[in-house]
Amino acid sequence: MLIPFYTLVNRYKLIDIKGIIHVGAHELEEKTAYDMFGIRNVFWFDAIEEKVSDMKKRYPEVEIINA
């Protein structure tokens, strides 16, 4: 992520974020930031099947799609 998520949220305070489509999930590094702002409706996508499998085991509550 080039610009930290919290910077965007703080800069544009009037934005009411309902959900996120995150392409390039890798190891869900941004999950903590999304959780910090109470964003639970996140769809994660990653092209690496092994990463998706690992993240599904680590975070069973997360919707992550191999695509």
Side-chain angles (χ1 to χ4, degrees), residues 3-67:
I3 302 171
F5 185 68
Y6 61 85
T7 301
L8 292 173
V9 172
N10 288 330
R11 182 177 298 159
Y12 302 104
K13 292 180 180 157
L14 300 177
I15 294 175
D16 184 20
I17 301 169
K18 301 288 186 206
I20 293 175
I21 297 173
H22 189 112
V23 179
H26 190 66
E27 293 188 354
L28 281 63
E29 293 93 336
E30 293 85 357
K31 183 180 183 316
T32 317
Y34 298 159
D35 290 346
M36 186 171 70
F37 288 99
I39 302 166
R40 302 284 180 252
N41 192 17
V42 180
F43 290 94
W44 301 86
F45 292 86
D46 201 275
I48 303 171
E49 189 174 340
E50 185 176 298
K51 287 287 182 192
V52 172
S53 178
D54 290 347
M55 293 305 103
K56 282 184 176 184
K57 290 174 189 169
R58 189 182 302 174
Y59 303 102
E61 76 282 3
V62 169
E63 179 72 28
I64 182 167
I65 299 155
N66 180 229

